[in-house]
Amino acid sequence: MKKGWKAVAEAAVGAAVGAANGLLGGGGGMLCVPLLEKALGEDVKVSHATTVLVILPVCVASAIVYWSSGRFAIDANLPVIFGVVAGGALGSALLKIMNGRVTAVIFAALMIMAGVRMAFFS
């Protein structure tokens, strides 16, 4: 892919991920990983690590909007916040040592479980 077109593709991926995350309150990462891998040709581990960095500002912006509009009670969710931070640290440490193929299989299984849950149990 030529350099100029790669920038356009990257911007399109970013727009799609941001729109999904903003619209759904999350889920941009589920879209970002396969787009980085398939559309932009990134390595599996790079795609997962990049997704975390890409989603961070979107999540912060969304959280500010949700909190300021009264849709989020931080005090009621502190245990979840601490758990997510601890789990994120553990997961990123595991990503360093885990095989990329194993990472892809785990991610695919989680996507399938999320899809089944949303389709049949929402």
Side-chain angles (χ1 to χ4, degrees):
M1 184 181 306
K2 290 187 178 181
K3 197 172 193 174
W5 286 112
K6 182 162 170 88
V8 170
E10 290 168 343
V13 165
V17 169
N21 211 67
L23 176 66
L24 305 173
M30 292 283 209
L31 183 61
C32 191
V33 170
L35 285 175
L36 286 173
E37 287 179 33
K38 305 302 181 201
L40 301 180
E42 293 291 347
D43 175 71
V44 172
K45 287 183 167 186
V46 171
S47 296
H48 286 273
T50 301
T51 294
V52 173
L53 183 60
V54 167
I55 294 299
L56 177 64
V58 176
C59 289
V60 169
S62 297
I64 290 168
V65 170
Y66 294 144
W67 189 14
S68 66
S69 63
R71 295 187 183 134
F72 180 76
I74 197 163
D75 55 332
N77 292 293
L78 280 175
V80 173
I81 293 167
F82 289 125
V84 167
V85 170
L90 175 63
S92 59
L94 288 173
L95 183 63
K96 286 183 197 177
I97 60 173
M98 193 176 294
N99 179 293
R101 181 75 183 137
V102 172
T103 304
V105 169
I106 291 169
F107 183 73
L110 286 172
M111 286 186 67
I112 290 167
M113 289 185 325
V116 167
R117 183 186 174 280
M118 290 181 76
F120 299 108
F121 303 106
S122 290

